[in-house]
Amino acid sequence: MSRPDYGVDASYVPAGYLAGAVVAGVVAMLVDPGVWWAAAACLLCAGIYLHTTRRGKLVTWERLLDEAGVAPDAVVLDVGCGRGAVAVAVARRVPRGRVVGIDLWRRGDQSGNDPEATRANAVAAGVEDRVELQTADMCDLPFPDASFDLVVSSLAVHNVADPEGRDRAVDEMCRVLRPAGRILLADIRNTRRYAERIRSCRPSATVTRSGLGPSMWWSGPWAPTHIVRMASAG
């Protein structure tokens, strides 16, 4: 059985770093040897980015889900599931439950972003019986109120271009969450606003925001990831 392949997030970013390294290297050889530092910096940024997208985010989400203590019979929604890295990790923890992944499958957001690639990853991980995929807009989720025990989202909401749309996406996560449900929302920007929005939707819930450390740096400490956690009061 093949291993899951979750692709590269925004693959144009490391490609840009690598192209910059090549250009800087040529300039250093032909014009100014002092430019070698720029080539080295681009290579370092590309290396950190690729480690995060291929390894760091997987390890981080395993830790987040372990800390969350997902119930074996939980019904979970993955908003912007992409090729299924988080959906598969959740599915391994819910042998009697179900994971629903939704996405618009835009390949600019992730290399090879396609529902068939996600299904293949679920098959490779042996969890295809509990993973369901739908094409849907996170700003208008096609589910009734109070449908899910847990809503997760990794590096997806920032892809909604306008602030009002991002607010709607967070509101929708709250709407489809059961009264005792939880949210785990990781992103590279706008996370303070997400936390504020969740608090406005669920005033009695406990909402926290924290950094996820070097394993989720997207090229360096200037591009970190934060996690917004919400636990309902009851």
Side-chain angles (χ1 to χ4, degrees):
M1 184 179 291
S2 61
R3 297 178 60 185
D5 181 358
Y6 300 118
V8 175
D9 295 276
S11 57
Y12 57 87
V13 176
Y17 281 128
L18 292 172
V22 170
V23 170
V26 170
V27 171
M29 286 189 294
L30 300 180
V31 181
D32 181 2
V35 180
W36 277 115
W37 68 268
C42 286
L43 287 174
L44 178 61
C45 289
I48 293 172
Y49 189 104
L50 290 170
H51 176 268
T52 295
T53 193
R54 298 292 288 179
R55 171 73 177 165
K57 74 173 183 180
L58 306 182
V59 172
T60 300
W61 270 101
E62 291 288 342
R63 174 175 59 82
L64 291 171
L65 294 170
D66 284 345
E67 292 171 353
V70 184
D73 59 351
V75 180
V76 183
L77 175 65
D78 185 357
V79 175
C81 65
R83 292 178 58 155
V86 178
V88 166
V90 174
R92 290 193 180 107
R93 291 164 166 81
V94 292
R96 301 191 304 276
R98 181 167 59 99
V99 181
V100 179
I102 66 104
D103 209 307
L104 292 175
W105 316 108
R106 296 181 300 204
R107 297 197 176 192
D109 300 337
Q110 190 171 54
S111 63
N113 195 14
D114 183 274
E116 291 309 312
T118 310
R119 288 190 185 94
N121 284 332
V123 170
V127 296
E128 69 275 14
D129 60 324
R130 63 200 89 142
V131 174
E132 174 190 333
L133 302 176
Q134 296 191 27
T135 300
D137 186 344
M138 69 176 73
C139 300
D140 186 19
L141 294 173
F143 309 110
D145 296 356
S147 296
F148 298 95
D149 300 298
L150 172 66
V151 176
V152 299
S153 183
S154 181
L155 309 162
V157 180
H158 75 270
N159 290 313
V160 178
D162 59 289
E164 294 79 11
R166 293 192 293 271
D167 283 350
R168 286 197 302 275
V170 176
D171 291 350
E172 283 289 272
M173 293 183 202
C174 294
R175 180 184 65 78
V176 302
L177 193 67
R178 290 172 177 163
R182 289 177 293 171
I183 293 174
L184 296 174
L185 198 176
D187 215 337
I188 56 174
R189 51 183 178 266
N190 309 313
T191 50
R192 286 188 177 86
R193 177 60 181 173
Y194 303 161
E196 292 171 1
R197 197 72 184 181
I198 293 170
R199 289 188 187 103
S200 70
C201 293
R202 297 280 181 115
S204 63
T206 300
V207 181
T208 62
R209 173 185 175 272
S210 58
L212 290 175
S215 64
M216 289 284 274
W217 285 354
W218 298 91
S219 73
W222 52 85
T225 306
H226 288 82
I227 182 80
V228 177
R229 296 177 175 91
M230 190 220 80
S232 297

